[in-house]
Amino acid sequence: QVQLVESGGGLVQPGGSLRLSCAASGSRISINAMGWYRQAPGKQRELVASITSGGTTDYADSVKGRFTISINNAKDTVYLQMNSLKPEDTAAYYCSANMRLTYYSLAKSFWGQGTQVTVSS
């Protein structure tokens, strides 16, 4: 059974940094892309950053220059380095991976359970 296990959330002061990690486990043929989404209370889930297995990245405008996404293909792990954190970054952060499980199936997206990031003084 495929799982995405996130870690690294917590409480940090404004201007601080956190690093989120997400590791994929379970049987699969390939991972096409991984990414991070976030959802604040009362708001819709939004894309924060994504990265393909080839290293192509995409960022939300609100995090450009502050967040960096990276991937370790050998470990099937994606990281999100978050610097200069702001109170508006407070949200539950979810890892997502577009994976193909077998040679007979199409790729589809899987989600982690989420990790809370709180930016507050």
Side-chain angles (χ1 to χ4, degrees):
Q1 185 174 355
V2 172
Q3 281 189 315
L4 297 175
V5 179
E6 300 137 332
S7 61
L11 173 64
V12 64
Q13 292 187 342
S17 298
L18 281 175
R19 189 191 195 208
L20 305 182
S21 300
C22 173
S25 64
S27 178
R28 62 208 173 275
I29 299 300
S30 63
I31 297 178
N32 299 321
M34 299 185 78
W36 290 95
Y37 290 72
R38 67 186 180 188
Q39 188 168 18
K43 294 188 177 181
Q44 289 189 332
R45 189 173 296 189
E46 62 175 357
L47 174 68
V48 177
S50 65
I51 186 167
T52 68
S53 57
T56 300
T57 59
D58 188 30
Y59 294 93
D61 288 342
S62 59
V63 306
K64 284 181 181 177
R66 301 187 298 123
F67 291 9
T68 302
I69 191 169
S70 60
I71 192 168
N72 184 326
N73 289 316
K75 295 183 178 180
D76 288 338
T77 300
V78 65
Y79 306 94
L80 185 68
Q81 178 66 43
M82 304 185 293
N83 298 328
S84 302
L85 282 160
K86 305 175 181 180
E88 50 264 43
D89 294 317
T90 296
Y93 283 70
Y94 297 89
C95 173
S96 178
N98 184 268
M99 297 187 284
R100 186 180 180 191
L101 301 188
T102 72
Y103 290 110
Y104 309 104
S105 62
L106 298 176
K108 63 178 182 178
S109 293
F110 295 82
W111 294 88
Q113 78 285 357
T115 185
Q116 179 67 33
V117 172
T118 302
V119 184
S120 175
S121 55

